[in-house]
Amino acid sequence: MQQLSWSDDMMLRAEGPATPLQIQMLLIYDPSTAPGGRVTFKGILEELDARLHLAEVFRRRLTELPGGLHMPYWVDDPNFDLEYHVRHIGLPQPGDWRQLCIQVARLHARQIDLRRPPWEITVIEGLNAVPGVPKGSFAMALKLHHCAVDGMASVQMIAALHDLAADGPRPAGPDRPWQPAPLPSTADLLSRTAVNAALHPVRVGRVVLSSTPKIVRGLLGVPGKLVGGVVSSVAEGSRPSFPPKTRFNETVSPHRVFEARFHDLADFKRIKARVPGATVNDVALAYVGGALREYLAGHDELPEESLVAACPISLREAGDESAKGNMLFGRLQGLGTDIADPLERLATIAASTAASRSESEHSSRAQLLELVATLPTALLGVTAKAASVLPFSGPTVANTTVTNVPGPTVPIFFHGARLLRAAGLGPLIGGLNLCHVVASYDGILSISATADRDALPDPARYAECMDRAFDELLAATG
């Protein structure tokens, strides 16, 4: 048994029917590299079954404590059924990109059944008219609840499902057949809760004594360091300024749309080279800023002030290959939507992100998360629920989310089929109903948009704005 961390538990408590907190990866494969040039659904099930032992998340589910007294535990699912988690659909012909996006968005909008292991794979056949993808290709939509994994952990999970060669041997099986551990009794869960409650003051004292002085010093610099100039420093005598409200800061409906664009990573590197100190992620932020500027201007809704992105940052240490849950910290970043020149926008973003990459900032954020984790679970739950209301009933905190998920740098294969494209879908919360996922794989960078249908009723138009933003950045390189 393993208890959820406080951050994973927050993902459960903040969820609502219109805001399922789950992430999804869209993976597109070319079956021509597989034995015989084809991949069957039966073969996919066999491949998955042979790899279940490589990631604990596949066969564990949650068990709640009576009355929600404490954070739930992960336990083995005694009724695990692979065929429940793996589904199979086909696109109506011609099987084009727009049809695929519609299906993926519908899958993303449906809540995962948390009475079972919190993941699903939907195999999508009939991709016969998707640009840049061979006819007869298929896709897998891998959906995971955010309480189980963050973006980095999902990449590690995907790595467990793939090989580095089309004819690579399957990994060695487990030493003995999997048998679920017995489910804990109510008495066992209550006793664990009592022990945790008794030890809580000790843990709190240790964390507070070691972290509070550093955290207090760090918080003094929050306006300038973590918020990237978005919120003015009260110490300077100015009133805090918040980003303007847009169509992406309203109540979220249960319906989703999805779009993505794929670009050569080499082009992003060429663009970043034009601005000293810039990173590929800075270019992605300038790209998103350009797309939002183009889209909102087209609807006569572009504010004079810059829009702001909430940027989750992974706090995993280098070399951490565990599949444990969420280790994220958020940072607010201006997107330069008030700047027409693409390179000037990139330079402004690069200058404000430089401070967030320091090791001391990384350490302060990790300590801050430890300090928050000492709060009672019930209080964190109330805070999570409030967070889903405040963004659209009070000041706007951010206009969109932009998260970066680096993937494998070389080709990988599933059941012999080569992975051609990878894109991500992120969760939406109340008042923040547009999420961008930047994902890299094998020299290709994808930038995708997951949005509430009411906020983005014309996703194809937004995709055109993404293309325009990229073209402007690339043209500026000369």
Side-chain angles (χ1 to χ4, degrees), residues 352-376:
S352 63
T353 61
S356 70
R357 292 190 289 269
S358 71
E359 291 186 7
S360 61
E361 288 299 317
H362 185 284
S363 176
S364 295
R365 290 164 185 158
Q367 290 165 349
L368 182 56
L369 288 183
E370 272 196 320
L371 194 61
V372 174
T374 65
L375 296 174

Side-chain angles (χ1 to χ4, degrees), residues 220-396:
L220 294 176
V222 162
K225 296 178 181 177
L226 300 186
V227 188
V230 173
V231 178
S232 303
S233 173
V234 177
E236 296 173 355
S238 58
R239 295 179 58 189
S241 59
F242 295 93
K245 189 173 183 178
T246 70
R247 61 167 58 209
F248 303 117
N249 302 112
E250 303 293 340
T251 304
V252 178
S253 81
H255 310 295
R256 301 289 180 265
V257 294
F258 167 74
E259 254 297 350
R261 284 296 182 261
F262 302 89
H263 306 284
D264 286 340
L265 182 58
D267 286 335
F268 272 69
K269 292 180 178 179
R270 283 175 54 197
I271 295 168
K272 83 176 182 68
R274 287 298 307 274
V275 176
T279 66
V280 168
N281 195 50
D282 293 336
V283 178
L285 290 168
Y287 175 116
V288 171
L292 284 169
R293 176 183 171 87
E294 177 80 10
Y295 180 81
L296 292 176
H299 286 276
D300 197 27
E301 298 176 4
L302 180 65
E304 293 182 1
E305 307 94 331
S306 174
L307 301 190
V308 172
C311 301
I313 300 171
S314 176
L315 295 183
R316 290 178 179 273
E317 299 294 341
D320 180 0
E321 298 182 354
S322 68
K324 55 189 173 184
N326 294 273
M327 301 179 66
L328 299 173
F329 191 93
R331 180 180 186 274
L332 299 181
Q333 173 61 50
L335 292 173
T337 54
D338 56 334
I339 302 173
D341 182 85
L343 286 185
E344 182 183 347
R345 184 187 314 126
L346 174 58
T348 301
I349 290 171
S352 63
T353 61
S356 70
R357 292 190 289 269
S358 71
E359 291 186 7
S360 61
E361 288 299 317
H362 185 284
S363 176
S364 295
R365 290 164 185 158
Q367 290 165 349
L368 182 56
L369 288 183
E370 272 196 320
L371 194 61
V372 174
T374 65
L375 296 174
T377 301
L379 179 58
L380 289 174
V382 171
T383 304
K385 287 296 184 184
S388 68
V389 176
L390 288 177
F392 55 87
S393 62
T396 300

